Structure formats: structure tokens, C-alpha cells
Amino acid sequence: MKPKLGFFDFTGCEGCQLEVLNFETELVELIQHVDIVNFREAISERGQDYEIAFIDGAITTQSDIDRIKKIREQAKILVAMGACACLGGINCLKNFRPMEENLRIVYGDCAKYYNTIPARPVSAVVPVEYELPGCPINRYEFLKLAKALLLGKKFELPNYPVCVECKKAGNVCVFEKGGFCLGPITRAGCNAICISNGRHCWGCRGLVDDPNTDSEKEILQKYGLTVDDILKQYRLFNGYMEVSK
């Protein structure tokens, strides 16, 4: 029997689901070994007999909480997919304002027709077996996890900072160019794609385990920056960590 998969969207842009669909031959190979029974972006069927659930998006309403709990009851394995599902993501920026003010700013006179609660990652509501961080996910990391699940093998995320991948790519440090970067404390696995394309690390993959905060402080001090400077930048994707403490 092929394992049955379901993909479910909550609050987010659904870009992580689109990354899965961006596969060509790899996706054709994968569906030879699994049955996708629920995936709004790809199929019209809505099967509820899935064993593995992939969750895209943050939890931002009471109905989201009720729905994710039902999905958790059905799924043997639940995977949070992307920065919103794993970290709360950009959605958590609203947590720094009163919810009523958020509704007023976004919906104006129609605010009374909507509801909202402080945004949170999936793991803040239900247990999660695996996480695939990033904005969007690295689709090859998704494929690696899918193969590990099919083969019953262990899957682990990289546990070193983006700086390692940056050095492998031969990039000049963003700090050396007068910019700001969260690479020293952010989990690798993206192949330093943002820095390699002339940008900086935004922290969308969350903190690496046991980040070297002393080293980060030394870097900040060297370039005339403060801890407050980095916290303001880190809030973009990781605001839930700040307000939940």
C-alpha cells in the first residue's frame, strides 16, 4: 500500500506548496510511490484518509486551531512546511499590536466581519514530527524528507549556520560590504541563496541549535551594531519567539 499524503494550507502565501509543484521529473517519480489524496493547489479531490500531513502556513484564527487539531488526529506524521508553519513567520508581526488595531488597519469598516488571534507556529498548537523551515522551503530538502519517510530512515536538518554555506559559495561577507546579515545565527540548508544573489540572510530558517551568541556579539561590535539592531531584523520571521517568552 502506498502511503497517503495530504497538503494543507493555513495563513500564508502558499509558496511552499508551489515549491513542491515546481518539481518536474522528481515529482513524477515521487507520486509513483505515494498517493496524494488532498492538495488544493494540485487536485480537486479532498480525501481525508491521509497518513502524512504537510502543513503550509501559520495558525492565526480560532478556526485554524480547530482545523489543525482535526488534521493532527488523522495524521500519523505531521510536517510543518515553511517559515510560517515552523516559526510563525511574517504573520507574527501582528502580535506586536492589539488584535483590534490589526483588524481596523487591514479591514477598516468591515473589521467586525473578521476575527484574528496572535499568530503562532503549528508546533504551538499540536505536536509536529518534522519541520522544513525556509521562505519558501528548499524543495530538494522536501524531497530528501519524503525519501527518508518512505524508506524509514532518519531525517535531520543541518545544524550549522548559513555562514558555512556562504563560505563554500565563495561569497564576500555582507558585513564586510557594509550590510547587515543574520547568517551567523540562522540554520543552514538554503545554500546561502539570498547572499549568493546579492542580498543578505533574513533568518527565515530560524535559529541554529545553540547559536554562538558570543561570536555574534563580537561581529556586531566589530561593525558598530548592537543586539537591538539584530533583534529588530530577526523579528521579521521570528517574532513569535520574542513575544512568547
Side-chain angles (χ1 to χ4, degrees), residues 53-169:
F54 290 89
I55 309 300
D56 179 6
I59 308 301
T60 66
T61 66
Q62 183 57 49
S63 59
D64 282 351
I65 291 178
D66 298 337
R67 182 169 169 241
I68 193 62
K69 286 182 176 179
K70 289 180 180 179
I71 293 172
R72 175 72 271 188
E73 288 175 2
Q74 171 62 33
K76 294 180 180 178
I77 296 174
L78 192 144
V79 181
M81 189 168 67
C84 293
C86 295
L87 308 170
I90 290 177
N91 298 285
C92 289
L93 289 175
K94 74 173 182 177
N95 296 359
F96 296 92
R97 292 178 180 268
M99 293 299 110
E100 296 78 9
E101 185 177 351
N102 289 322
L103 289 173
R104 178 184 59 78
I105 292 172
V106 176
Y107 299 110
D109 294 339
C110 296
K112 62 184 178 181
Y113 299 111
Y114 299 91
N115 70 87
T116 189
I117 61 175
R120 63 206 69 183
V122 174
S123 61
V125 182
V126 297
V128 171
E129 275 75 35
Y130 296 100
E131 293 186 338
L132 290 173
C135 184
I137 60 168
N138 179 331
R139 63 181 185 270
Y140 295 102
E141 198 168 54
F142 166 83
L143 193 63
K144 182 179 178 181
L145 170 61
K147 289 181 177 179
L149 292 175
L150 290 173
L151 296 173
K153 292 187 176 181
K154 190 175 181 181
F155 171 80
E156 291 184 345
L157 292 168
N159 192 23
Y160 46 84
V162 173
C163 291
V164 174
E165 294 176 331
C166 225
K167 290 178 180 178
K168 287 182 178 179

Side-chain angles (χ1 to χ4, degrees), residues 2-20:
K2 295 181 180 180
K4 295 183 178 181
L5 277 57
F7 291 79
F8 302 93
D9 52 285
F10 285 77
T11 301
C13 68
E14 302 185 18
C16 292
Q17 293 176 83
L18 292 176
E19 274 299 282
V20 175

Side-chain angles (χ1 to χ4, degrees), residues 39-55:
F39 196 165
R40 187 179 62 80
E41 290 277 0
I43 59 177
S44 57
E45 291 81 5
R46 296 291 184 271
Q48 301 301 324
D49 55 343
Y50 48 86
E51 301 162 282
I52 304 173
F54 290 89
I55 309 300

